[in-house]
Amino acid sequence: MAKPAGIALCSIPARLRRTATINQIRAVLLEQSTTARRSVAALRNSLPAILESGNDELPTRKLFIALQQDWIWLVERIKMTTSGIKTASETGPSCKRLIAIPGIGSLISTAMVAAVGKSEAYDRRRNFAAQLGRVPSQHCTGG
């Protein structure tokens, strides 16, 4: 079950790069005295109008277009990765059992199965639940 772990780990850097790309787009717009509303959806909706405005005074127009293309690519990659995680969590029996726990979704279930493997690694169910954060953590001396 190493495949879901790889999928889960690939998603986190892509999401961070998406945020960085969005911030770069906002910075380029601000340098040109153009503002966009704060939400991601508002920025996405305003980009075509900004590009079609015919404002050729944007010296960084090529950079702006490249950032927009990066953003589109990252969004598609995140969708594909999320779909892979969801498929892996729906097909694995261990993941299905974990998803039945309130508060555990596709990402957490695949990460736990990848990190822990089979639940036989724990001698008590409570220890596994503590690992998930569902019960107070246990502090024992190990003896």
Side-chain angles (χ1 to χ4, degrees), residues 23-93:
N23 289 339
Q24 286 177 331
I25 290 172
R26 288 186 189 283
V28 169
L29 287 173
L30 285 174
E31 286 176 1
Q32 303 305 317
S33 300
T34 305
T35 58
R37 291 181 47 203
R38 186 173 179 143
S39 73
V40 174
L43 180 62
R44 185 183 323 112
N45 292 336
S46 65
L47 284 180
I50 292 169
L51 285 173
E52 292 174 6
S53 67
N55 187 1
D56 292 330
E57 296 177 15
L58 289 174
T60 54
R61 190 174 188 82
K62 288 183 180 179
L63 172 64
F64 184 71
I65 292 170
L67 287 171
Q68 181 188 25
Q69 290 171 347
D70 288 349
W71 183 19
I72 292 168
W73 180 81
L74 286 168
V75 167
E76 290 302 316
R77 182 175 170 200
I78 291 168
K79 284 180 185 176
M80 183 177 60
T81 304
T82 304
S83 173
I85 290 171
K86 187 171 179 148
T87 301
S89 69
E90 291 172 350
T91 58

Side-chain angles (χ1 to χ4, degrees), residues 59-138:
T60 54
R61 190 174 188 82
K62 288 183 180 179
L63 172 64
F64 184 71
I65 292 170
L67 287 171
Q68 181 188 25
Q69 290 171 347
D70 288 349
W71 183 19
I72 292 168
W73 180 81
L74 286 168
V75 167
E76 290 302 316
R77 182 175 170 200
I78 291 168
K79 284 180 185 176
M80 183 177 60
T81 304
T82 304
S83 173
I85 290 171
K86 187 171 179 148
T87 301
S89 69
E90 291 172 350
T91 58
S94 298
C95 290
K96 285 181 182 179
R97 284 193 304 271
L98 286 171
I99 289 176
I101 301 170
I104 305 295
S106 300
L107 182 62
I108 302 246
S109 68
T110 53
M112 284 302 299
V113 169
V116 175
K118 297 187 177 186
S119 60
E120 287 89 25
Y122 294 94
D123 55 347
R124 295 188 181 129
R125 285 186 230 155
R126 187 180 194 291
N127 293 343
F128 183 69
Q131 175 80 21
L132 290 174
R134 304 306 297 173
V135 295
S137 61
Q138 278 197 215

